[in-house]
Amino acid sequence: KQEVTQIPAALSVPEGENLVLNCSFTDSAIYNLQWFRQDPGKGLTSLLLIQSSQREQTSGRLNASLDKSSGRSTLYIAASQPGDSATYLCAVDNQGGKLIFGQGTELSVKP
Amino acid sequence: EAGVAQSPRYKIIEKRQSVAFWCNPISGHATLYWYQQILGQGPKLLIQFQNNGVVDDSQLPKDRFSAERLKGVDSTLKIQPAKLEDSAVYLCASSLDSRGGGELFFGEGSRLTVL
């Protein structure tokens, strides 16, 4: 049974700092891994999708890596801004669209 | 391009009452999902449709939850009778990939409070 864990559960950093969010999963037979952002009271916004054959994806200040053999993914945020404050969720797909989510990392970027 | 639309955004009911949520996916998206997100947790899949057929409903509490997707477009999720533990945000998502496994796009969610 696939289990997804995100560490830390919460993170507070000063503005401008580079940071890394971690995601680990127990079953390496995945189709893809997706990172989402969730603002309070809102739905999920897709940030990056990494297919199982890929090692990383980049979008602006965001970079996500995938290491299937070790069951790990990281989301790197460069030059963090207060507007980056949100909960970040990773989810793995190992059954044709059925996403298994971690519990999320709540990020607070202080001005 | 319009996103995934859900309604109502908020609903408060007494336990044992019924409630229904509606979802309109992104136009042309074959796959539709309903997820349940309890406060402080990640979303959990309830049911997955491809066009108007059910792909996976193994996590749906079928004694009280039901869902349908008419004509392969809009979907409704119903809870009857509701329990206190059903208090959660119900998220609808859709994907272009008809086989599943593509990028998922989520709606804003419907927040249910059961008193």
Side-chain angles (χ1 to χ4, degrees):
Chain A
K1 177 185 173 187
Q2 178 73 270
E3 292 184 3
V4 181
T5 303
Q6 290 186 249
I7 296 173
L11 181 63
S12 182
V13 300
E15 181 178 3
E17 192 162 299
N18 302 327
L19 59 100
V20 174
L21 306 181
N22 296 293
C23 173
S24 62
F25 47 95
T26 55
D27 184 350
S28 62
I30 65 171
Y31 284 102
N32 61 54
L33 182 145
Q34 202 164 351
W35 282 93
F36 294 89
R37 169 184 173 140
Q38 186 172 33
D39 292 284
K42 300 290 188 181
L44 278 64
T45 300
S46 177
L47 297 174
L48 291 164
L49 171 72
I50 311 177
Q51 299 291 352
S52 62
S53 58
Q54 297 174 321
R55 301 231 5 134
E56 66 177 342
Q57 282 284 346
T58 298
S59 176
R61 294 182 295 108
L62 305 179
N63 175 276
S65 68
L66 174 64
D67 183 344
K68 281 202 315 178
S69 60
S70 66
R72 295 179 186 274
S73 176
T74 61
L75 179 66
Y76 174 83
I77 303 177
S80 59
Q81 303 170 359
D84 295 330
S85 298
T87 296
Y88 290 82
L89 292 150
C90 77
V92 298
D93 177 1
N94 64 345
Q95 198 173 328
K98 179 180 175 178
L99 291 185
I100 308 296
F101 282 83
Q103 291 193 306
T105 293
E106 185 177 357
L107 173 65
S108 176
V109 181
K110 304 294 187 185
Chain B
E1 177 182 87
V4 177
Q6 290 189 245
S7 68
R9 287 294 315 280
Y10 306 93
K11 190 74 176 178
I12 300 173
I13 61 173
E14 302 278 337
K15 60 182 179 184
R16 292 187 288 276
Q17 287 186 324
S18 63
V19 64
F21 301 114
W22 172 83
C23 173
N24 180 238
I26 293 173
S27 178
H29 279 199
T31 310
L32 184 147
Y33 311 80
W34 283 101
Y35 281 83
Q36 179 193 57
Q37 186 177 25
I38 294 172
L39 187 65
Q41 299 181 16
K44 183 186 77 172
L45 179 69
L46 291 175
I47 189 167
Q48 176 184 355
F49 293 94
Q50 269 170 233
N51 298 306
N52 61 349
V54 175
V55 174
D56 185 346
D57 64 357
S58 58
Q59 302 270 58
L60 189 73
K62 298 179 187 64
D63 58 332
R64 298 182 300 105
F65 286 64
S66 64
E68 60 180 6
R69 188 180 185 194
L70 298 175
K71 300 179 182 178
V73 182
D74 293 4
S75 178
T76 56
L77 176 70
K78 297 180 181 178
I79 307 173
Q80 182 180 16
K83 292 185 174 181
L84 296 177
E85 59 261 36
D86 298 332
S87 294
V89 177
Y90 292 87
L91 296 162
C92 179
S94 69
S95 171
L96 180 62
D97 193 332
S98 61
R99 299 162 300 172
E103 187 174 5
L104 266 66
F105 297 87
F106 281 80
E108 295 274 277
S110 294
R111 182 177 298 274
L112 174 66
T113 301
V114 182
L115 303 176

